[in-house]
Amino acid sequence: MNCSTATPKSGSPDTTHTPIVLLVGNPNVGKTSLFNALAGMRAKTANYPGITVDLRKAALKVASVDNDPRCQASTQIELVDLPGLYSMEPASPEEEVAARCIRGELSDQLGDRPSAVVVVVDATNVARTLVLASEVLEQNLPTIVAVNLIDAADAAGTKIEFDDLRRQLGCPVIPVSARKGRGLAELREAIYTLTKPAESVLPIARQSCVAGCTGCPYAARYDWADGVVKSSVQQDPRKGVKLEWLDKLLTSKGFGLIALLSVMLAVFFLIFSLADIPMSAIEDGFGWIGGVVDDLLPTEPLSAALWFPIATGISLAVFAGAYWLNGTRWTRVSTLIAVVVSVLVGCLPLDDFRSLAIDGVVGGIAGVVVFLPQICILFFFITLLEDSGYMARGAFVMERIMRRVGLPGKAFVPMLSAHACAIPGIMAARTIETWRDRLVTILVLPLLTCSARLPVYVMVAALLFGDSPWKASVMFAAAYILGLVAALGTAFVLKKTVIPGEAAPLVLELPRYRLPSLRNAWFTTLDRATVFLRQAGTTILLISVVLWASATYPKLPTDVSYPTEREHAQAALANSFAGKAGRLVEPIFAPLGFDWKIDVGIITSFAAREVLVSTLSIVYGLGEDGSEEPLGLVETLRRQTRPDGSLVFSTATGLSLLVFFVLAMQCLPTQVVTKRETGSWKWAVFQFIYMTALAYLTALIVYQSLAAAGYA
């Protein structure tokens, strides 16, 4: 190879643009594993304008592997991992985005027409995965076919004649193993050859494999692929492991369901058990950070001339960090918001600034990051199950049950993960191809009991049945069952009304069993965690700060004193915007047995459901530390009385509050994620309205029935 620097010829690519290389392939061919092997830590998720589907991309340097040490040529490319698709005629939003990217119809978002395409083919199932390759080749783009899972093919006794395959396809064919790193250098060199600026782009005119076909074009493509494989792929019948017997067990009605439930319960258990230690460490860590922030702030008020620039600068630094994390550009609007808010923060007294920094900013970030271990554990194990080929079998088994209520079989995994947190459950619904099925799944997932509801359940159980562990455990289990029944029932109602139609039949080709890649699971988990922190984290932080402000202002008159700090805190909250809002909505929630103080807890718990406990601690005079002493809190709540002398937290009110929190949305971060995943606030608002109405009506029935029976 000549390593001299060549002058770009006429018709060569525009060297002012970074070449864009698309990674294309069917689901379950190891495409994302190959992307992770090539990109590693350089990968990031991009949400392009006008596209509701995330695309992963990475800036890579590809170069020749020529042995000549003088050859230092390399090309900077942007590698884009497209969603998996079976055909250029899409059947889902993800497939549509992938097909449009290949055809160059999204150049406004990607920045340029793709310079080359890498089609990933499964070495253990070449015939079926070549069908997509034939459609991509007809786009007349520089194309490389990467035959992945070559190690699995060797173990199965599959021998591929790559020279013959290159001749028939008319493009470079590279054998690779993303899991073992085999062939990656050769693939990078092939990409370099197609994208280096010194090479002129010759016209490509490939003949379609269905040209002149008068019959079914789909059948013609499969016949073409079978013909290619027949001449270039040989199978040794003496090798390979026959696992048909395992598929019969794992997809059967009886054993298949038991196996799936066992696997999912194991994942469910791991999400809670393994996450306990890191979640506790995160809480302790943010507690330490709050203490450090408290120590760093001045103990005595400073002069306005000195304090204003300090507070304003700190606020601008926080905005800069949030913008960087969320990928927000410094436009005129975003800059104006940052400056105006920072000026307002600079005008805060020292005590209010201290409360904002510790309770609003540090506490808000902690409320986001504390759920991160659960999300990471979920995606790590789900990725391992997907890589192994088992998740396709599980979806096949669940399809029989879920379709009866209008949910697809693939909704089972998101429903499982929603028991930890609805946010990762909604994100996991991306695996559902059909838009109608994915939408129904997203809308019902928040009805399932998440970990954020558990403090409320524990508080109500201790209030009502603290002297009877058996009754408390029954109530706890009933809350879980109520959420599950409500989710299934709502899906059935949506199927008959707002979102009519049957769940799409599950049509898939079961992938071969293979050893999952820990590297791929790690990078997938890292990517999902980054998306969660960037997209949801900054929004939750904003909500926490807004709630802090609403619970802090307006201040009490300075000429009014109170005997204790607790009474002062209670009066301050009652006088705040949040307290006034509680009194404003008191007539609405009075039929459920709630007084204005419980209403304040309902309002503030929109940021996070567990906030109810600490809010009740404040409004009933315990202060924030009451949430750390559940017995003191419970005893204090039990003693609360109404103006007529009756108990506030009677059996009727307690169960009404429990039912309301089982069914109500009460989670603005989930609303944000719903909007992001559906691409519209319309469905997020619908989700909030129907869940609130369901919670209100059910709690109303519970309270009024128990009150009529004498339990008020």
Side-chain angles (χ1 to χ4, degrees):
M1 175 181 174
N2 184 4
C3 296
S4 62
T5 303
T7 302
K9 302 176 182 179
S10 177
S12 65
D14 185 356
T15 58
T16 62
H17 291 87
T18 300
I20 296 174
V21 177
L22 305 180
L23 202 60
V24 181
N26 294 158
N28 299 310
V29 297
K31 177 178 59 64
T32 300
S33 297
L34 181 58
F35 175 84
N36 289 334
L38 291 170
M41 296 296 293
R42 291 163 293 190
K44 62 179 181 179
T45 298
N47 185 251
Y48 295 94
I51 302 178
T52 58
V53 177
D54 285 340
L55 302 179
R56 298 185 68 213
K57 66 178 184 179
L60 304 180
K61 275 190 175 182
V62 293
S64 171
V65 294
D66 194 286
N67 292 326
D68 188 344
R70 296 172 299 174
C71 183
Q72 301 296 329
S74 65
T75 299
Q76 182 84 13
I77 70 161
E78 183 175 284
L79 184 65
V80 180
D81 181 22
L82 297 184
L85 76 165
Y86 289 102
S87 170
M88 291 294 290
E89 297 184 12
S92 70
E94 284 78 6
E95 290 192 357
E96 181 178 0
V97 168
R100 293 182 65 193
C101 286
I102 296 170
R103 290 193 292 262
E105 296 175 359
L106 295 178
S107 57
D108 291 342
Q109 287 82 3
L110 294 178
D112 204 351
R113 180 177 171 82
S115 303
V117 178
V118 177
V119 182
V120 184
V121 170
D122 184 353
T124 65
N125 195 358
V126 179
R128 293 296 171 262
T129 51
L130 270 183
V131 174
L132 174 64
S134 71
E135 294 184 273
V136 175
L137 287 168
E138 291 169 9
Q139 301 300 312
N140 291 329
L141 287 168
T143 303
I144 301 169
V145 172
V147 184
N148 193 25
L149 304 172
I150 194 65
D151 53 331
D154 291 342
T158 301
K159 183 180 180 181
I160 302 175
E161 298 290 344
F162 289 100
D163 290 337
D164 185 71
L165 202 55
R166 294 185 186 98
R167 179 185 59 80
Q168 296 196 67
L169 298 181
C171 69
V173 178
I174 311 297
V176 297
S177 171
R179 181 172 171 270
K180 294 188 175 181
R182 176 178 168 183
L184 297 184
E186 290 78 4
L187 179 58
R188 290 190 180 96
E189 181 183 18
I191 295 174
Y192 166 79
T193 302
L194 289 185
T195 58
K196 58 182 178 179
E199 289 293 322
S200 61
V201 178
L202 300 177
I204 302 173
R206 296 188 177 96
Q207 183 178 3
S208 170
C209 67
V210 297
C213 175
T214 58
C216 174
Y218 300 103
R221 290 193 186 278
Y222 280 94
D223 291 341
W224 170 84
D226 289 337
V228 171
V229 169
K230 188 175 295 183
S231 64
S232 58
V233 180
Q234 290 81 40
Q235 176 68 47
D236 187 345
R238 297 170 298 177
K239 290 187 177 182
V241 180
K242 306 297 183 182
L243 295 176
E244 288 81 0
W245 63 271
L246 184 58
D247 267 347
K248 290 182 179 179
L249 284 177
L250 294 181
T251 59
S252 63
K253 292 183 179 179
F255 183 83
L257 181 60
I258 295 174
L260 177 62
L261 293 178
S262 300
V263 171
M264 292 296 99
L265 286 175
V267 174
F268 192 24
F269 173 78
L270 290 172
I271 288 174
F272 284 102
S273 60
L274 296 182
D276 184 57
I277 294 177
M279 289 178 72
S280 299
I282 289 172
E283 290 177 340
D284 294 341
F286 275 98
W288 175 81
I289 292 174
V292 171
V293 172
D294 191 22
D295 293 338
L296 291 176
L297 292 175
T299 55
E300 298 294 334
L302 303 177
S303 65
L306 181 61
W307 173 243
F308 178 80
I310 293 176
T312 303
I314 294 174
S315 178
L316 286 173
V318 172
F319 265 101
Y323 283 0
W324 172 82
L325 182 65
N326 200 34
T328 302
R329 299 179 60 186
W330 287 88
T331 62
R332 291 182 179 179
V333 175
S334 63
T335 302
L336 179 63
I337 293 174
V339 171
V340 171
V341 173
S342 297
V343 169
L344 293 175
V345 170
C347 297
L348 292 176
L350 176 60
D351 288 343
D352 286 358
F353 183 88
R354 186 189 308 275
S355 176
L356 170 63
I358 297 175
D359 301 329
V361 176
V362 176
I365 296 175
V368 177
V369 180
V370 72
F371 292 108
L372 191 59
Q374 293 179 331
I375 294 173
C376 291
I377 293 170
L378 166 71
F379 280 106
F380 183 81
F381 284 105
I382 292 299
T383 302
L384 291 180
L385 290 173
E386 288 178 345
D387 281 355
S388 69
Y390 177 73
M391 289 308 299
R393 276 88 180 168
F396 181 82
V397 171
M398 284 304 302
E399 194 260 352
R400 303 185 185 103
I401 300 174
M402 307 298 291
R403 283 193 67 201
R404 295 182 180 179
V405 297
L407 287 170
K410 285 189 175 181
F412 181 72
V413 174
M415 291 177 72
L416 174 71
S417 60
H419 281 87
C421 177
I423 291 176
I426 292 174
M427 293 167 65
R430 295 177 180 181
T431 59
I432 303 172
E433 293 85 359
T434 306
W435 167 244
R436 182 258 170 211
D437 295 346
R438 186 189 312 160
L439 179 60
V440 174
T441 303
I442 290 174
L443 291 178
V444 304
L445 283 181
L447 287 167
L448 300 171
T449 291
C450 64
S451 58
R453 288 180 169 101
L454 298 184
V456 181
Y457 293 2
V458 172
M459 182 190 72
V460 175
L463 270 173
L464 301 183
F465 308 113
D467 55 348
S468 176
W470 180 81
K471 292 181 180 179
S473 63
V474 170
M475 188 218 76
F476 215 87
Y480 269 89
I481 295 173
L482 175 61
L484 178 60
V485 171
L488 296 178
T490 301
F492 183 77
V493 172
L494 292 175
K495 166 186 172 182
K496 298 294 185 181
T497 55
V498 180
I499 312 176
E502 299 292 333
L506 187 63
V507 180
L508 54 83
E509 184 174 8
L510 296 180
R512 293 176 182 265
Y513 293 101
R514 54 179 180 262
L515 191 64
S517 169
L518 294 177
R519 176 186 174 91
N520 181 49
W522 161 251
F523 282 119
T524 300
T525 301
L526 183 64
D527 178 66
R528 290 296 95 198
T530 303
V531 170
F532 173 74
L533 288 175
R534 286 180 175 175
Q535 301 297 332
T538 51
T539 304
I540 295 174
L541 173 60
L542 176 62
I543 291 171
S544 299
V545 172
V546 170
L547 285 177
W548 170 86
S550 67
T552 304
Y553 298 102
K555 292 295 192 71
L556 287 170
T558 56
D559 57 347
V560 179
S561 60
Y562 294 87
T564 65
E565 290 187 5
R566 291 179 178 178
E567 292 178 353
H568 181 273
Q570 183 176 355
L573 183 61
N575 187 66
S576 68
F577 290 119
K580 293 176 180 177
R583 293 186 181 277
L584 180 65
V585 301
E586 186 174 18
I588 299 175
F589 289 98
L592 308 186
F594 304 163
D595 65 358
W596 76 266
K597 296 180 180 179
I598 297 177
D599 297 341
V600 173
I602 291 175
I603 294 172
T604 57
S605 64
F606 279 118
R609 295 179 177 95
E610 63 271 26
V611 172
L612 175 74
V613 178
S614 59
T615 302
L616 293 182
S617 298
I618 297 174
V619 297
Y620 285 108
L622 268 178
E624 286 286 356
D625 292 338
S627 59
E628 303 294 332
E629 303 171 6
L631 289 179
L633 170 63
V634 169
E635 291 301 322
T636 300
L637 295 182
R638 283 176 175 171
R639 292 195 297 267
Q640 301 304 312
T641 58
R642 303 180 189 273
D644 62 0
S646 61
L647 292 176
V648 172
F649 289 95
S650 62
T651 300
T653 301
L655 291 180
S656 174
L657 182 64
L658 175 72
V659 168
F660 185 86
F661 268 84
V662 169
L663 301 177
M665 168 52 69
Q666 298 300 109
C667 188
L668 284 179
T670 299
Q671 292 273 270
V672 173
V673 176
T674 296
K675 181 266 175 186
R676 179 176 179 272
E677 295 298 310
T678 61
S680 171
W681 279 110
K682 175 181 69 174
W683 294 113
V685 172
F686 172 77
Q687 186 183 55
F688 172 80
I689 291 175
Y690 99 76
M691 288 185 63
T692 302
L694 178 63
Y696 187 92
L697 291 175
T698 308
L700 177 66
I701 294 172
V702 169
Y703 178 78
Q704 295 297 335
S705 299
L706 291 175
Y711 291 96

